[in-house]
Amino acid sequence: MEFLPEISLLDGILVVFVSFIAGIMRGYSGFGSALTIVPVVAYVFGPQLAVPAVVAIHLASSIQLLPSAFRDADWGRTGPLSIAGCLTVPAGTWILVSQDPELLRKAISVLIVFFAIMMMRGWRYQGTVNGWVMAVVGAVGGVITGAATIGGPPVVTFLMAGPFRAAQNRATIILYFICIQSVACIMYWAADLWVFEIVGICLLTMPPLMLGMWLGQHLFSKATEEGFRRVALLFLMAIGLATLFL
């Protein structure tokens, strides 16, 4: 029974460095860390170890983000968004096992880039925002999470387009991720993906990730509303392009 799969020193340094950068982005914007770290950890350890490990890492590291998230959350939006997302994660998993996930990933990436460009040009969602609208958005994110593991950006795209404060967006994103990742953990358990090597991967990546999150939180406290929006949208664009060509 191996505690950590054998890797080179260079691969270990790469995983630690990317984990730190991913932590900064999550602490600052509340999203993007999984999409930053999963490709690298999957390259080093393989996807069947990487994906459950990253989900476990993010759930554990979310503890330090919860106080500010609970303080700033608008539960009228966060509740329907998260509940609907949790309910549709299994549907996305069914799509994953019956359709080509690579095609789904690329199609979603194209949409992410398209919406990010529109919002950079000043577009914002002007329609009514109520519990039903948030539930639809959360359901779409849940399906995409199960199908292509990148369900966060469509939700972030909608929130960034709406007339919401940066702190509320960040809190909603954090709490939404915690909910759908919890459901994903149950699904991985049902699929027998939890193995002992995941503990070693978590111990390698969590310290730099949490250090980066601490730094990101301090950067967020100094950010303006427009600064937060600009950085988050640029990062969303980068995520879309990166996942499109991976």
Side-chain angles (χ1 to χ4, degrees):
M1 180 182 296
E2 292 185 353
F3 178 69
L4 182 68
E6 185 176 347
I7 59 173
S8 68
L9 177 61
L10 184 60
D11 283 343
I13 293 173
L14 177 64
V15 169
V16 170
F17 174 74
V18 172
S19 298
F20 177 68
I21 299 300
I24 292 176
M25 290 313 305
R26 190 175 193 209
Y28 180 81
S29 65
F31 75 98
S33 55
L35 286 170
T36 303
I37 195 174
V38 164
V40 174
V41 179
Y43 165 76
V44 174
F45 296 106
Q48 288 194 340
L49 290 176
V51 175
V54 171
V55 169
I57 292 163
H58 280 76
L59 279 177
S61 61
S62 294
I63 294 173
Q64 70 186 86
L65 298 177
L66 280 175
S68 61
F70 277 119
R71 182 185 65 241
D72 296 326
D74 178 354
W75 291 102
R77 292 189 293 123
T78 304
L81 187 78
S82 301
I83 293 171
C86 290
L87 291 175
T88 56
V89 168
T93 304
W94 177 82
I95 295 173
L96 176 62
V97 299
S98 61
Q99 304 294 327
D100 180 4
E102 189 63 21
L103 178 62
L104 290 171
R105 184 188 297 274
K106 290 186 181 300
I108 294 165
S109 297
V110 170
L111 288 175
I112 291 169
V113 172
F114 172 73
F115 285 122
I117 291 173
M118 287 187 62
M119 286 185 290
M120 286 178 181
R121 294 176 61 87
W123 181 84
R124 282 180 178 267
Y125 178 75
Q126 300 295 332
T128 301
V129 179
N130 53 36
W132 288 107
V133 173
M134 298 307 298
V136 170
V137 174
V140 171
V143 171
I144 296 173
T145 294
T149 70
I150 55 173
V155 175
V156 173
T157 300
F158 175 81
L159 292 174
M160 292 298 169
F164 313 121
R165 294 189 299 110
Q168 288 180 324
N169 282 338
R170 180 175 174 274
T172 299
I173 292 165
I174 290 169
L175 294 171
Y176 175 76
F177 283 169
I178 289 173
C179 290
I180 62 173
Q181 287 167 356
S182 298
V183 174
C185 281
I186 296 172
M187 296 177 65
Y188 298 149
W189 171 77
D192 293 325
L193 291 176
W194 295 113
V195 294
F196 190 65
E197 289 89 340
I198 290 176
V199 176
I201 298 174
C202 290
L203 292 177
L204 177 66
T205 53
M206 275 197 69
L209 183 78
M210 296 189 74
L211 178 61
M213 287 171 61
W214 174 83
L215 179 59
Q217 284 184 288
H218 283 269
L219 292 174
F220 176 78
S221 66
K222 302 178 185 301
T224 63
E225 293 275 331
E226 186 58 32
F228 171 84
R229 178 180 168 85
R230 187 182 302 112
V231 171
L233 288 177
L234 285 174
F235 193 63
L236 189 63
M237 172 77 79
I239 287 172
L241 292 173
T243 54
L244 179 60
F245 293 108
L246 279 176

